[in-house]
Each structure stands twice: as C-alpha cells, then as structure tokens.
Amino acid sequence: CLSVKEGSLFAEVYNCDFEKSPKPSWAERAKKQLYRSDYVYAHYVHYATVTGGTLRTKEEAKKLNEGWNQHFRESRATDRVTDEIRQAVMLHTKTTVPEYTTDWKTRCKASTKTAHGKDCRVGFPWPQNDATSHSKATADGFGHNCFTNEKLANFWIPQLRDAIEKRNVRIEHLRNMNII
C-alpha cells in the first residue's frame, strides 16, 4: 500500500492526469459545471441540485417571456466551455483503494506489460509534460504516464501553501492568547 508523503497537499499528489489539457472531445461527458454562487441554492458534492432555473415558477417564466416545464433541465445552450489551461480546471482528488496500488513497483515499471484492469494507477509525470520526449521512464524505471497542470503546480499550490501558513500563524496566535 502506498501512502501520501508527509506534508503533501492533495492538490499536489493528484496533479497527475492521464489526459493532457485541454481534454479531448470524448471527455466532454465528464466536464463539471460552474455556476454563479447566487444561482445555486443547493449542492450535492459538485452537482448543483437546486438552481435558480429549478426554482423558477410558471408565472416568473411567463414574465420573462421564457418557456416553462415542470421537469426543468439546465440548457446546454447556455453552457460556456471553460479553457482548462487559463481559466479553471477540476482536479479529482479522492482516496485510492489499496487494490489499485498493490504491486505498484512491478505494475508501474516501464518494461511491464499488464493485464486488462491491472494498469499502473500511480502517476509518474512526463518530463515537461511532453509524452513524445525521449525519456520513457524515471531514473528508477517507472513508466511516465500522466501530465501535470502547470498552473496548478506553479501558481495555485504556492498560494494555497501561503494561505495555510498564514492560517497556522493566526491559529497559533489565538492559542497563545487563550482564545481557542
């Protein structure tokens, strides 16, 4: 079983996607929606379950000269595709079940051919995010298999670490004052 290195943030550990950004068209089904905060009234995980559209009454729709149906669906016509590199990206961070990482030292070797469903589930980023580079494996022989989001690594993670440090300083100050 693998464990996360002490002091690592989930955003760092999971910043290794098997598809390079921007994602290919087949990944469209997995894209997530971003809404203005004043439009979403309830969330379930990252799904907006109650939005302004679902709450709109027949009378309100009539005043806006819009159609109304008791079975409301968000319209794809109002969607705007986000630029994953410059605007926003959703990073999937979740617990990895132990079975996915068992025998990883064998499964992840560049020279290993694995059976269906036994692929390497541990990320080894391509150098400079270039899958065509001459380097097919790390110095330890593990095959490169994923791409990092450079804006996340170089812009957002440093800001997050800075915010965490400032919060820790503030908490320590409050503890020293016996406030918490």
Side-chain angles (χ1 to χ4, degrees):
C1 242
L2 286 175
S3 62
V4 175
K5 189 168 87 179
E6 185 71 31
S8 296
L9 301 171
F10 266 69
E12 291 171 305
V13 172
Y14 287 92
N15 187 12
C16 205
D17 203 339
F18 295 103
E19 289 294 334
K20 190 172 186 174
S21 290
K23 301 291 183 287
S25 60
W26 63 259
E28 178 70 27
R29 62 175 174 69
K31 289 190 176 183
K32 304 302 176 216
Q33 296 168 315
L34 299 173
Y35 292 104
R36 292 184 328 271
S37 58
D38 64 343
Y39 185 72
V40 178
Y41 293 86
H43 272 96
Y44 175 73
V45 188
H46 49 223
Y47 299 100
T49 57
V50 181
T51 64
T54 58
L55 295 176
R56 183 174 296 142
T57 66
K58 191 173 190 176
E59 292 75 25
E60 290 169 333
K62 194 178 244 182
K63 283 180 189 173
L64 294 169
N65 203 24
E66 293 180 0
W68 183 87
N69 187 315
Q70 67 181 0
H71 303 290
F72 177 80
R73 291 182 145 233
E74 294 292 338
S75 168
R76 292 301 248 172
T78 60
D79 284 356
R80 181 177 63 85
V81 176
T82 303
D83 181 332
E84 293 178 72
I85 296 170
R86 292 179 192 86
Q87 293 178 314
V89 68
M90 182 171 167
L91 179 69
H92 288 266
T93 62
K94 56 189 173 250
T95 301
T96 301
V97 294
E99 296 84 49
Y100 288 174
T101 60
T102 55
D103 202 26
W104 71 273
K105 288 183 179 180
T106 301
R107 285 183 184 185
C108 297
K109 288 289 186 178
S111 58
T112 301
K113 298 290 179 216
T114 57
H116 178 70
K118 300 287 185 182
D119 297 332
C120 175
R121 297 273 187 113
V122 178
F124 295 96
W126 287 96
Q128 290 79 47
N129 276 342
D130 182 6
T132 63
S133 76
H134 296 294
S135 173
K136 300 297 179 205
T138 67
D140 296 323
F142 298 112
H144 297 296
N145 59 6
C146 63
F147 303 91
T148 58
N149 182 301
E150 292 176 12
K151 186 161 189 176
L152 179 64
N154 300 322
F155 180 77
W156 290 114
I157 289 174
Q159 286 196 49
L160 178 58
R161 285 198 171 280
D162 185 50
I164 290 169
E165 181 56 33
K166 286 177 181 172
R167 180 178 183 272
N168 289 343
V169 168
R170 175 88 173 122
I171 289 171
E172 189 59 34
H173 174 72
L174 294 174
R175 282 191 180 132
N176 290 338
M177 295 176 61
N178 293 321
I179 294 175
I180 58 171

